[in-house]
Amino acid sequence: MATEAELKAASEKYIPKDYDPALYKLRHSLAHVLAQAVVEKFPQAKPTIGPPNEYGFYYDFDLDVNPTEGELEWIANRMKQIIKGKHAFKVREISADEGRALFKDNPYKLELIDGLTKGQDEYGNASAAAPVLTVYQQDTFVDLCRGPHVEATNDLDPKGFKIQQVTGSYWRGDSKNKSLKRFHATAWASGDDLKAHLARLEEAAKRDHRKVGRELELFANEPVFGSGFPMLLPKGATIRRLLETFITDYERRAGYLHVFTPDIAKKELYKISGHWDHYKDSMFPPMDMGEGGNDDEELCLRPMCCPHHIQVYKSKARSYRDLPIRIAELGNMYRFERSGVVGGLSRVRCMTLNDAHLFVRPDQVKHEIAGVLQLMKRAYADLGITEYRFRLSKNADPDGPPSDKYVDNPAMWESSTKMLREVLQESGMPFFEAWNEAAFYGPKIDVQVKDVMGREETLSTIQADQHLPAKFELEYKDSDDTPKRPVMIHRGVISTMERMMSYLIELYAGAFPVWLSPVQVAIVPIADRHFEFAQKLGNELLDKDYRVDVDLRERRMQAKIAEAEAQKVPYILVVGDKDVEAGAVSVRLRGKVDLGQKPVAEFVAMLEAVVKSRTLK
Ligand code: ATP
Ligand code: ZN
Ligand code: ZN
């Protein structure tokens, strides 16, 4: 039998690679402390499993009552007491029989023990780990657990955790099984860390793009469309149009050619491209056009535009002098994202990507990728996105389990990855590398931004691909008249319109820079006699292509101003007797800032400058 020190050292391997080990141990330990308190409060409760999660941990119990607020408070206080009791977390190895005796009243632990002896982990999945059974004990509470834990409860801060709620769950996550009660808690190294987390949560809730999107009438989810198919309401549609014009203008100036290609194609196309082999799970099932129609083939909604842009390349013969050819499209694509992960605008099932494919000679690859990075940096600066980092996304980890997600061509992976790494190194921009994040046909440079909660997501992506050009036998005639194969660079600069909008809504909490605001100016006449002036001014601004809302409703001025403020309209122009007389407006900036009276011409000049500079105000 292994010693306590050996068992503890061996348990460290269960800490996930990207998890802070100290936090992992602390959360795991608190889960046991919670279980002790729960069982003391409800002796009939049967603990099942209680792993750490993103910001804390949960613990599932078979429990026949719904704990009241008071009972939860009792549990939290009891946890604090246990922590202050300075109990060591003692580990010892047990045999399966010993375990069965120890947990004879808990069918869940018995099932876990059976699974473990058969080489399954606690979720019932096959596991490579040797079936060593261990129990950890603090104070009076013993739990079947593989660890790892902190040394003793002294290492926990009694102010560092919070029980957030109790929800329903199922044993093994299967709704056919017995329903359980899941206690959720967030847990941190100190009370200050907990406070900071709770403040971030509050801020994130305020900025949540689903909430802001509803309040500002940007988009809505209509149940009859289905989940993952949001609709953009007029104001959201305005923002999307602005983004589209913004990015396509940049691309045009950078030598991109814009095309329109169909959203649907024969399944055959995706068989050639390899999507059918490697990406089918993310595609909607094909439509069988069957007997009725002329076509007896199957049609697919495209999950990517690459095979389509390849057809554009192939539409005529290309010579080395034509390259690079940069084909761009605001491409609609359809992905069968699982219902558990779709939500709001950030992950949808029907999306429009700011897509482009660059067909280049091998000697042009680096220069073209550098150009894309340049374009990306400029676009980000204009959008006000300042915090991001680069990730070199590679195929399956050679030390991990084998994967059929990627095309099998080690030489190609090696040379493409090396190429991207060199571009990043030469650009001088810091980056990190990650396994298992590549596209199926090649490695990527992903640009990672953080949301309010510090979670990272990908906005831009650049990929070097030698696979699809080979699959589709792409060629150009080289200077020596021989046919050569171009390299394909896939890139999305401002991501999908959906994901970018969700990001910007949260970045600005709905108070968009003036150039992106769906309504830039609200005009509020004080009384009926100012309506004419207000309307004339509104038309004048509209003629100059500004987005104006003239509020002619029979309502009090204060109410109209408050509503424009709530809608985050950057400029509110109040029009009264003195303004009409002077041909001026009283300007208020969103956020209740009074800019005083300005002649109309002066206001227009200011507006023009602000829009042009793409600033906030
Ligand atoms: P992810 O890892 O986010 O699923 P991916 O690696 O499959 O994305 P790509 O095929 O590279 O994504 O797509 C380009 C970009 O489109 C992504 O970087 C992301 O910003 C965006 N995107 C991908 N899937 C969705 C989706 N379901 N909804 C909205 N935007 C998406
Ligand atoms: Zn444990
Ligand atoms: Zn592509």
Side-chain angles (χ1 to χ4, degrees), residues 335 337 346-348 351 444 458-459 463 495-496 499:
R335 294 185 178 179
E337 303 279 5
S346 57
R347 192 167 286 282
V348 294
M351 65 207 88
K444 317 198 262 183
T458 307
L459 280 185
Q463 302 151 21
S495 179
T496 53
R499 171 118 8 131

Side-chain angles (χ1 to χ4, degrees), residues 229 262-267 270 276 279 282-287 298-304 308 332-336 349-350:
F229 301 110
D263 297 5
I264 297 181
K266 293 184 191 172
K267 189 167 103 183
Y270 307 102
W276 194 252
Y279 206 73
S282 300
M283 292 172 67
F284 282 93
M287 291 167 266
E298 291 182 282
L299 298 178
C300 293
L301 285 168
R302 70 176 172 197
M304 293 186 192
H308 298 248
N332 300 324
M333 2 185 259
Y334 306 81
R335 294 185 178 179
F336 183 45
R349 287 170 161 175
C350 161

Side-chain angles (χ1 to χ4, degrees), residues 60 97 113 235 287 305 345 353 370 393-394 413 464 490 512:
D60 283 349
D97 283 341
I113 292 169
K235 287 180 183 167
M287 291 167 266
C305 306
L345 289 179
L353 181 64
S393 303
K394 302 182 286 190
W413 282 100
H490 308 240
F512 299 103

Side-chain angles (χ1 to χ4, degrees), residues 306 357 441 490:
C306 342
H357 294 91
Y441 46 76
H490 308 240

Side-chain angles (χ1 to χ4, degrees), residues 257-432:
L257 306 169
H258 290 94
V259 297
F260 291 105
T261 56
D263 297 5
I264 297 181
K266 293 184 191 172
K267 189 167 103 183
E268 198 186 321
L269 183 69
Y270 307 102
K271 282 197 155 163
I272 303 172
S273 67
H275 284 86
W276 194 252
D277 282 341
H278 299 280
Y279 206 73
K280 193 167 51 194
D281 284 353
S282 300
M283 292 172 67
F284 282 93
M287 291 167 266
D288 186 347
M289 303 313 288
E291 300 138 47
N294 298 330
D295 309 284
D296 56 357
E297 63 262 29
E298 291 182 282
L299 298 178
C300 293
L301 285 168
R302 70 176 172 197
M304 293 186 192
C305 306
C306 342
H308 298 248
H309 291 178
I310 286 175
Q311 305 313 314
V312 175
Y313 179 87
K314 289 181 83 160
S315 64
K316 67 183 212 189
R318 310 285 183 175
S319 109
Y320 70 100
R321 278 204 219 95
D322 303 331
L323 270 46
I325 293 170
R326 309 180 188 89
I327 303 297
E329 179 171 8
L330 293 167
N332 300 324
M333 2 185 259
Y334 306 81
R335 294 185 178 179
F336 183 45
E337 303 279 5
R338 303 299 174 239
S339 58
V341 299
V342 297
L345 289 179
S346 57
R347 192 167 286 282
V348 294
R349 287 170 161 175
C350 161
M351 65 207 88
T352 304
L353 181 64
N354 163 227
D355 207 356
H357 294 91
L358 288 65
F359 300 87
V360 309
R361 299 192 308 255
D363 63 290
Q364 294 170 323
V365 174
K366 283 191 181 169
H367 182 256
E368 283 302 309
I369 292 181
V372 174
L373 287 172
Q374 212 48 46
L375 177 62
M376 193 218 89
K377 276 187 174 169
R378 244 185 270 143
Y380 276 29
D382 280 345
L383 292 167
I385 303 172
T386 51
E387 276 186 56
Y388 51 92
R389 55 180 198 151
F390 295 89
R391 178 178 79 189
L392 177 57
S393 303
K394 302 182 286 190
N395 56 337
D397 185 346
D399 296 333
S403 170
D404 57 4
K405 261 170 47 189
Y406 306 106
V407 296
D408 184 20
N409 186 345
M412 179 281 279
W413 282 100
E414 195 176 322
S415 77
S416 295
T417 306
K418 183 163 164 275
M419 196 150 62
L420 291 184
R421 189 180 289 117
E422 282 170 11
V423 176
L424 282 168
Q425 280 162 348
E426 282 161 27
S427 74
M429 286 179 293
F431 66 97
F432 66 106

Side-chain angles (χ1 to χ4, degrees), residues 181-207:
K181 298 275 174 350
R182 177 166 294 182
F183 287 64
H184 301 262
T186 181
W188 300 84
S190 69
D192 282 347
D193 285 2
L194 172 68
K195 268 195 217 133
H197 172 72
L198 295 176
R200 276 196 301 274
L201 268 186
E202 205 176 305
E203 187 58 35
K206 258 193 264 164
R207 290 170 180 261

